[in-house]
Amino acid sequence: MPDPAPVVAPPRWALSPWARLLRRPAHWWFVDRQVRRFCSPLELQGMENLADVKTPAIFVANHTSHFDAYLISSVLPPRLRYRAAMAAAADRWYARKKLRAAWFSLLVNIYPIQRGGGRAALAYSEWLLERGWSLIIFPEGTRAKKGHMEAFKYGVAILALGQRVPVV
């Protein structure tokens, strides 16, 4: 039986004022420019529906590539984007390359979530919601490999109902 994956502590420094200040120009340079480069023309529909969204909220998206993280982060209005944290698989992003995880924690405010970790895996997500942070979550739990959406895991529903926040 394989050893369970070690629990990875979320980088609380990513919520600090200095990280939030650095995130704005870094996001513009490394994320927004890439989205404009690879997704041009980009047509967005329904953005007017975000006008009344207050934080905290949970933003969900399907997940077919790692570029999805850049895309959803880039299209969210700044008032929502800079008060959001993105769940990332702890075993993929935090297991080996710590510098890469730190970079993406700064760039798009990722934090580790333990796949298959049960109720305990949601503790930091709940902590963020309680402090007014929104979440960006890919509820399939992995990238869809067959070109269609996979079944959603229950974490988003548990968080939304437990914290009484909207899901977008």
Side-chain angles (χ1 to χ4, degrees):
M1 185 167 156
D3 292 332
V7 176
V8 180
R12 298 265 173 108
W13 62 263
L15 305 178
S16 71
W18 68 266
R20 293 171 66 190
L21 183 66
L22 286 173
R23 185 170 297 124
R24 289 177 185 262
H27 192 279
W28 174 82
W29 184 260
F30 293 103
V31 177
D32 292 336
R33 289 180 57 226
Q34 294 300 321
V35 169
R36 283 193 306 277
R37 178 178 173 205
F38 292 113
C39 301
S40 183
L42 178 61
E43 182 180 329
L44 300 173
Q45 297 177 352
M47 293 301 287
E48 68 278 2
N49 297 318
L50 295 179
D52 294 330
V53 174
K54 307 285 187 259
T55 58
I58 301 173
F59 299 97
V60 299
N62 63 321
H63 199 16
T64 57
S65 79
H66 288 300
F67 200 74
D68 296 331
Y70 274 15
L71 189 58
I72 192 167
S73 179
S74 185
V75 301
L76 279 177
R79 70 177 181 81
L80 299 172
R81 174 190 320 152
Y82 295 119
R83 192 71 181 159
M86 185 179 303
D91 61 330
R92 169 99 173 123
W93 291 97
Y94 289 86
R96 294 182 309 273
K97 298 181 179 176
K98 307 281 189 239
L99 189 58
R100 180 182 68 171
W103 171 245
F104 283 102
S105 293
L106 176 65
L107 197 59
V108 290
N109 200 15
I110 67 169
Y111 67 94
I113 192 161
Q114 205 70 38
R115 288 194 259 208
R119 188 78 175 84
L122 302 177
Y124 187 68
S125 299
E126 290 172 329
W127 184 88
L128 287 167
L129 289 168
E130 289 166 358
R131 281 152 184 81
W133 285 84
S134 291
L135 306 177
I136 299 170
I137 298 179
F138 301 101
E140 294 164 284
T142 189
R143 290 179 316 281
K145 294 170 183 57
K146 298 175 185 165
H148 66 279
M149 289 179 60
E150 301 290 333
F152 284 10
K153 307 296 184 217
Y154 300 112
V156 170
I158 292 168
L159 289 167
L161 293 171
Q163 299 295 315
R164 298 184 182 273
V165 295
V167 176
V168 180

